[in-house]
Each structure stands twice: as structure tokens, then as C-alpha cells.
């Protein structure tokens, strides 16, 4: 009988699976500044991420249904691709944000939007709270097609756990 991996069993990506697929940047790269993390492992006909990147850091080779590949050294963490992904699967992590905190930039489609300075709950890939977070940046414009780009600061050790936020006023 074929043995299923964690993703196949639960439908939730985990860190080990992402690392195995080369989608997690090295600590050495993380220490140099913001970098994209593309959590997309399905063979689906989709490529806005590759089209959006002005530095060709994301490529989809061999046909539209191939999975995106990332060149972490080309990426400068600008975040343009974050709101372009219909699967809400793209994040930017700045591990070097401060001595004690990292930032995670994520897509946010819900209204109302969070506000800069607001304290929110940070949740993991399964939607479970992992820590408190502070909103440090919100980009929201017509050009982003109803998806805001929100950046939160979190304790550095949670850089690879935080993948969503929940506003406290909504809880
Ligand atoms: S964050 Fe910017 S540079 Fe990096 S992959 Fe996305 S669009 Fe390209
Ligand atoms: S835009 Fe999003 S869902 Fe589409 S291929 Fe890129 S990462 Fe995957």
C-alpha cells in the first residue's frame, strides 16, 4: 500500500514538506533580508506569481501546470507577488527585521482591514493561534484587486509558523 505523506493525509502543508521541496530559504539567505516563500505544491494551471515578479525570481518551467520554482537570491522581498496569488499561497518573511522579531507579510482578503499598530492573533497553516503579532504595514489599493498585503511583526522564532492573522475585534 502506498504510504501517504502528511500533506496528502491532512491537506495542510507542513514545514518539513516545504523544506523537502526547496521552498524554504536557507538561514543564511534569511539573515540577509526579506525573501519570498511560495507555498504552492499542486500542479494547477496558474502563473500570476511568475508574471508578477519584476526580478524573475519565480519561474514556472515546462508548462502552465508545473509548480513554481523560486530563486531566493533574485528575490528582494518586495511583496508584489503576494496579492497576485489566487491561492493566497505567497508570503514574504523578513527574518532580519530586528534582533528579537521577524516580519511576515501575508495576503488578507477580509474586511475590515487591520490597522498599523494593532495587536492581532497570529495563526499557523492550520489556523491555530501561535503567538501575538503587531501590524506594522498595510497596503490596500484598487490595484491589489481586493486583497490587502499585511505585514506583522512576530517573535523571531515563529517566522516559519505564522501564516495568517485574526483581528481581536472579530474574535
Ligand atoms: S517578493 Fe518581489 S522579488 Fe520576490 S518573488 Fe515576489 S515579486 Fe519577485
Ligand atoms: S499564483 Fe499562487 S497558486 Fe498560482 S502558481 Fe503561483 S503560487 Fe501557485
Amino acid at each position: 500500500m502506498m504510504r501517504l505523506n502528511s500533506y496528502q493525509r491532512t491537506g495542510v502543508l507542513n514545514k518539513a514538506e516545504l523544506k523537502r521541496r526547496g521552498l524554504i530559504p536557507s538561514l543564511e539567505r534569511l539573515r540577509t533580508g526579506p525573501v519570498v516563500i511560495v507555498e504552492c505544491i499542486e500542479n494547477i494551471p496558474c502563473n500570476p506569481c511568475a508574471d508578477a515578479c519584476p526580478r524573475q525570481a519565480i519561474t514556472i518551467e515546462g508548462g502552465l501546470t508545473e509548480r513554481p520554482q523560486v530563486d531566493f537570491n533574485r528575490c528582494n522581498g518586495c511583496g508584489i507577488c503576494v496579492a497576485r496569488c489566487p491561492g493566497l499561497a505567497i508570503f514574504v518573511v523578513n527574518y532580519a527585521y530586528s534582533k528579537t522579531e521577524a516580519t511576515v507579510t501575508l495576503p488578507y482578503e477580509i474586511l475590515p482591514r487591520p490597522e498599523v499598530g494593532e495587536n492581532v492573533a497570529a495563526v499557523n497553516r492550520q489556523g491555530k493561534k501561535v503567538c501575538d503579532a503587531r501590524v506594522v504595514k498595510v497596503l490596500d489599493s484598487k490595484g491589489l484587486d481586493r486583497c490587502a498585503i499585511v505585514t506583522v511583526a512576530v517573535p523571531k522564532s515563529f517566522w516559519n509558523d505564522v501564516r495568517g492573522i485574526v483581528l481581536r475585534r472579530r474574535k
Side-chain angles (χ1 to χ4, degrees), residues 32-49:
T32 68
V35 65
V36 76
I37 297 184
V38 179
E39 304 197 352
C40 176
I41 65 164
E42 298 284 357
N43 289 85
I44 48 174
C46 184
N47 70 350
C49 53

Side-chain angles (χ1 to χ4, degrees), residues 55-125:
R55 298 171 66 92
Q56 289 79 50
I58 304 177
T59 52
I60 296 176
E61 291 172 11
L64 190 60
T65 57
E66 290 303 315
R67 291 177 291 241
Q69 304 294 315
V70 183
D71 184 338
F72 297 117
N73 293 322
R74 277 182 177 267
C75 175
N76 66 358
C78 70
I80 290 172
C81 55
V82 172
R84 295 290 301 278
C85 171
L88 308 179
I90 304 183
F91 309 87
V92 169
V93 166
N94 186 359
Y95 184 81
Y97 179 68
S98 79
K99 208 169 181 179
T100 56
E101 292 180 316
T103 61
V104 180
T105 299
L106 45 89
Y108 193 85
E109 291 189 314
I110 302 167
L111 293 173
R113 304 298 199 212
E115 293 170 8
V116 172
E118 187 170 350
N119 288 314
V120 298
V123 299
N124 64 14
R125 295 174 181 88

Side-chain angles (χ1 to χ4, degrees), residues 101-104 106 115 117-123 129-136 150-155 158 162 164-168:
E101 292 180 316
T103 61
V104 180
L106 45 89
E115 293 170 8
E118 187 170 350
N119 288 314
V120 298
V123 299
K129 183 184 172 185
V130 289
C131 62
D132 294 324
R134 186 178 76 261
V135 178
V136 295
V150 177
T151 301
V152 293
V154 298
F158 292 115
V162 172
I165 57 169
V166 178
L167 305 198
R168 296 194 190 289

